[in-house]
Amino acid sequence: MTLPGLIGMVHLPALPGAPDHAIPLQDIVAGAVRDAATLTAAGFDGLMIENFGDAPFFADSVPPVTVAALTRVVAEVVAATNLPVGVNVLRNDALAALAIAAATGAAYIRVNVLSGVMYTDQGMITGRAAEVARTRAELCPDTAVLADVHVKHATPPAGQSITPAAVDLWERGGADAVIVSGFGTGTATDRNDVTSVRAAIPEAPLYLGSGATAGTIGEYDDVVHGAIVGSAIKSGPITSPVDAELAAEFVAAWRG
C-alpha cells in the first residue's frame, strides 16, 4: 500500500475492562467516528486508533475484552471514512493489532517494540518480529507495519544507539516504515535522531512519532515521509476531541 503522510491520532478513553473505564462503549465509538470525521475534513491522509486511556498498560498481551472493544471501534471508523485507518494496541500487543486489522480491514498497525529490547514502565519488552511477520503473512498480508525505533516512554539497553537499532528494525525486523519520537507523548523529536536514522536507512519511509506542531513541522519535512499527530491537534487533555481548527492549521503547515 501507499503509506499516508499525515496520520491523525484518535486517542480513545478507557475501554471496558480498564481501571478508569467510565464512558459507555457506544459513546466511545461515537466519539471516535466524530474525531475521524474532523481529521478527514481537515485534510489528514490517514488515521490511527489507540487505546490511550487504558493505562496502566499490559506489556505485550491485552485481555480479550480490549481486543473486542477495539475491534468494534476500528470497524466503525473504517466504515465511516475513506481514509486508511491504523491501530496501535498499547503497550505492545502487535498480534492483537494484526487480528483487529484482519477483522476490520485496517490498513496498518503501529508496533512500539518490534525488534530488540526496551526498558519501559511495563518492565522489559522484547520485540517479537518473527511472530509478527508470520502472523501477518497468515492473517492480513497487505497490512503495513509501522514500527518505532527507541520508542517513547522507554529506555534502550546501555550502549545501544538509535542508528544500528533502526538498521536492524528495517533490514531484519520486517518494518514497512520506521517511527522516531521524543522521550514522551507530546515531546519534540530530536532532529539529530531523525537525520541519523534517515542517513542509515535512506530508502525507509520515516515518520515523526511525537511533538510535531504546526510551528515546527517544517523543520523536518525534508527528512520524513510524514508525521503521526496527536497532542498538537488537541485543545484539552489527550483523550479530548480533536480540535478542528488546530487540525486544519497543522495540515496547512505541512502542505505549505
Side-chain angles (χ1 to χ4, degrees):
M1 68 170 293
T2 300
L3 293 173
L6 284 186
I7 299 177
M9 288 301 306
V10 177
H11 289 113
L12 302 179
L15 297 171
D20 293 331
H21 174 63
I23 301 173
L25 182 57
Q26 61 266 28
D27 294 338
I28 294 175
V29 171
V33 170
R34 285 194 300 270
D35 275 356
T38 302
L39 292 164
T40 302
F44 274 78
D45 304 310
L47 311 173
M48 180 80 75
I49 299 171
E50 181 179 270
N51 57 323
F52 188 90
D54 282 356
F57 302 114
F58 292 93
D60 57 11
S61 183
V62 301
V65 65
T66 303
V67 179
L70 273 170
T71 300
R72 180 176 171 190
V73 174
V74 175
E76 294 278 359
V77 171
V78 167
T81 181
N82 60 356
L83 295 182
V85 177
V87 60
N88 185 19
V89 183
L90 297 171
R91 172 64 154 147
N92 198 55
D93 197 341
L95 301 183
L98 287 171
I100 293 167
T104 63
Y108 44 88
I109 67 170
R110 181 176 183 174
V111 185
N112 288 175
V113 185
L114 179 62
S115 66
V117 170
M118 293 293 287
Y119 296 96
T120 77
D121 50 319
Q122 293 79 38
M124 186 177 74
I125 295 180
T126 301
R128 299 166 67 183
E131 293 173 80
V132 171
R134 287 157 176 79
T135 300
R136 175 171 67 162
E138 180 181 1
L139 297 181
C140 48
D142 295 329
T143 300
V145 174
L146 282 55
D148 288 88
V149 58
H150 285 192
V151 66
K152 57 190 175 182
H153 298 290
T155 303
Q160 184 195 79
S161 68
I162 194 168
T163 302
V167 171
D168 280 345
L169 185 61
W170 176 248
E171 295 184 353
R172 294 159 59 88
D176 297 300
V178 174
I179 304 166
V180 185
S181 301
F183 177 75
T185 300
T187 59
T189 303
D190 188 332
R191 182 177 165 85
N192 290 332
D193 286 344
V194 180
T195 55
S196 295
V197 171
R198 166 54 69 221
I201 46 174
E203 70 281 17
L206 195 61
Y207 285 90
L208 291 182
S210 72
T213 68
T216 63
I217 188 61
E219 300 172 12
Y220 302 91
D221 62 2
D222 60 327
V223 288
V224 296
H225 172 81
I228 301 173
V229 188
S231 302
I233 53 176
K234 301 294 183 72
S235 55
I238 196 70
T239 54
S240 61
V242 173
D243 185 300
E245 182 175 344
L246 292 177
E249 287 177 0
F250 197 103
V251 171
W254 171 258
R255 306 289 182 225

